[in-house]
Amino acid sequence: MNKLIFLKAYLRGFIVSKFKVQNNNAETNRYKDYGILNPSIGTANLGDLIIYDSVYSKLRNIYPDDLFTDFPTQLYTSHDAMISMNERHLLFVSGTNLLSSNLDRIFQWKIHFGHKRLLKNKVVLMGCGWWQYQGGINKYTAAIYKTILSKDVLHSVRDEYTANKLKSIGINNVINTSCPTLWSLSPEKCKQIPVSKASEVVTTLTFYHKNSELDKTMLRILSENYNKVYLWIQGMNDFHYYNEINENFHNIELISPSIEAYNNLLEKGNIDYIGTRLHAGVRALQKNIRTLILAVDNRAIEISKDVNLNVIKREDVLDMVNFIDNDYVTNIKLPTGNIDKWISSLNKYK
């Protein structure tokens, strides 16, 4: 079914775009009109909202007076939407791991050949990552990336692995800025994060990377070492997964699937974060919470290599006791030079 939907969208967009004359309005305007390719539209994963929140905040600082229009990345766009995207000065891709080696088979980003002409040289990556560890980029995907990604500015990616993947197809105007959700974690900010264990902890599960044995071990250790354990439901399927592995833990309380509920919990203080969701952990750091992330895939591992994010592999779940029992100093090492370079490269569009 997914392939049929993809082919229908692909053929319609490709055929119509062949005959569409671009409307480049030469009228000078006091304000610029930018687009954000927003993964939080239509998402079932609240982590995408955490990413978008940081992306929008940073872009608003760069362009304080201009207009931003959001377009989805996780939903197929009509031809009208593609025309609207074409009319923006630039289109910023709002973080997340939507890049892949085979856009014809991996649909994290609902983009196809029909976008090539209308989005030519329009798209700017902002803290994007690679879907998973993959082989070489196929010709179909390379043709799309090399056409739509702007040649006039730098592209911001969240880790060195992603930068190297793009460079492998000749896209060299790319730098590793880490994820925009981390950009606020300056040395001064990190000093505000507690060093010692709190009395309570909030955790998360990841339904699409299940490992019932390791995840139950994580919950068991947390239950034994903290007075209260909160489980934030970052997506509805996480709730169903918890019901599958629940061993009637006596001190686990569910936190409803909303950003507001999670923020409120973090802001009350005296709480740690230990869980498998990357951006739930980053939001905890943003709220001055002592944090350990158990990596279930490439994303947290690759970011941790570059910026010293506190990450262990989920297979090493027993090692989380070391974090619980001992002091830990948060020391995020941001690539501030690269972040500044990326922002400076946008000056020509101000």
Side-chain angles (χ1 to χ4, degrees):
M1 177 60 74
N2 281 341
K3 287 187 176 180
L4 289 175
I5 294 172
F6 168 78
L7 287 172
K8 182 179 178 181
Y10 165 79
L11 290 172
R12 182 177 64 238
F14 180 76
I15 292 170
V16 175
S17 67
K18 279 289 186 180
F19 299 99
K20 177 67 181 180
V21 177
Q22 296 187 34
N23 179 23
N24 293 319
N25 190 346
E27 181 183 353
T28 301
N29 199 321
R30 177 177 176 180
Y31 304 106
K32 297 290 177 62
D33 191 352
Y34 299 102
I36 300 177
L37 302 183
N38 180 355
S40 72
I41 298 174
T43 187
N45 178 3
L46 294 175
D48 291 324
L49 289 171
I50 294 172
I51 296 171
Y52 177 77
D53 183 45
S54 291
V55 165
Y56 181 81
S57 174
K58 305 309 178 192
L59 286 175
R60 181 50 70 200
N61 287 337
I62 297 170
Y63 302 109
D65 300 317
D66 298 310
L67 176 68
F68 290 102
T69 302
D70 286 358
F71 301 94
T73 62
Q74 301 207 50
L75 302 174
Y76 288 102
T77 50
S78 66
H79 185 67
D80 287 344
M82 288 191 283
I83 295 297
S84 182
M85 286 188 272
N86 170 264
E87 293 169 350
R88 310 303 130 187
H89 286 88
L90 289 174
L91 295 165
F92 292 93
V93 186
S94 174
T96 197
N97 61 327
L98 49 58
L99 300 174
S100 75
S101 297
N102 42 2
L103 289 172
D104 50 335
R105 289 191 287 126
I106 303 299
F107 304 130
Q108 288 283 101
W109 187 0
K110 302 295 192 299
I111 193 168
H112 50 75
F113 239 54
H115 289 83
K116 275 185 60 182
R117 182 166 176 261
L118 291 174
L119 303 192
K120 184 177 181 180
N121 208 40
K122 285 275 186 183
V123 176
V124 181
L125 301 180
M126 184 174 178
C128 296
W130 216 258
W131 173 63
Q132 291 180 7
Y133 293 122
Q134 288 187 294
I137 301 171
N138 66 24
K139 291 182 179 179
Y140 172 88
T141 303
I144 292 176
Y145 289 158
K146 292 169 79 170
T147 301
I148 69 170
L149 294 183
S150 174
K151 298 173 178 60
D152 302 321
V153 301
L154 292 175
H155 295 282
S156 152
V157 295
R158 63 162 65 163
D159 54 59
E160 205 61 28
Y161 178 83
T162 303
N164 289 332
K165 294 295 283 187
L166 291 172
K167 289 176 181 178
S168 73
I169 57 170
I171 298 175
N172 294 311
N173 56 325
V174 54
I175 52 175
N176 176 8
T177 64
S178 194
C179 182
T181 57
L182 294 167
W183 291 2
S184 64
L185 298 178
S186 64
E188 294 73 24
K189 174 74 170 176
C190 289
K191 289 177 182 177
Q192 300 175 28
I193 298 173
V195 172
S196 301
K197 174 190 172 187
S199 62
E200 299 179 337
V201 68
V202 58
T203 189
T204 50
L205 296 169
T206 306
F207 78 90
Y208 56 84
H209 278 298
K210 295 180 180 180
N211 187 313
S212 58
E213 180 180 347
L214 294 178
D215 290 331
K216 282 193 286 188
T217 299
M218 178 186 74
L219 295 176
R220 193 178 304 117
I221 292 173
L222 295 177
S223 182
E224 292 170 354
N225 284 274
Y226 287 91
N227 297 335
K228 190 70 171 286
V229 180
Y230 298 95
L231 173 62
W232 182 48
I233 308 300
Q234 188 172 305
M236 284 303 298
N237 285 322
D238 292 346
F239 172 70
H240 302 313
Y241 177 43
Y242 174 67
N243 287 334
E244 293 175 16
I245 65 174
N246 185 7
E247 294 185 342
N248 296 315
F249 298 103
H250 70 281
N251 60 344
I252 293 183
E253 178 180 327
L254 301 184
I255 300 300
S256 61
S258 75
I259 293 293
E260 293 79 7
Y262 187 47
N263 286 342
N264 289 339
L265 176 67
L266 297 174
E267 288 167 1
K268 77 183 186 69
N270 194 24
I271 193 168
D272 290 341
Y273 172 85
I274 302 176
T276 62
R277 289 286 195 168
L278 168 61
H279 285 99
V282 174
R283 174 50 61 98
L285 289 169
Q286 292 174 346
K287 298 292 185 180
N288 298 335
I289 301 300
R290 184 171 172 266
T291 293
L292 172 66
I293 297 165
L294 278 65
V296 298
D297 58 22
N298 61 303
R299 297 169 304 143
I301 292 171
E302 291 301 322
I303 291 174
S304 70
K305 291 177 182 178
D306 299 328
V307 300
N308 199 38
L309 186 65
N310 192 22
V311 174
I312 62 172
K313 293 182 178 180
R314 181 171 54 181
E315 302 92 276
D316 301 323
V317 62
L318 297 179
D319 291 346
M320 61 191 257
V321 175
N322 295 328
F323 172 77
I324 294 171
D325 289 342
N326 297 290
D327 287 353
Y328 178 81
V329 177
T330 302
N331 182 24
I332 301 297
K333 299 177 180 179
L334 292 173
T336 52
N338 281 356
I339 295 170
D340 291 342
K341 284 180 184 177
W342 180 75
I343 293 172
S344 295
S345 79
L346 303 175
N347 285 339
K348 66 180 68 177
Y349 286 94
K350 287 187 175 180

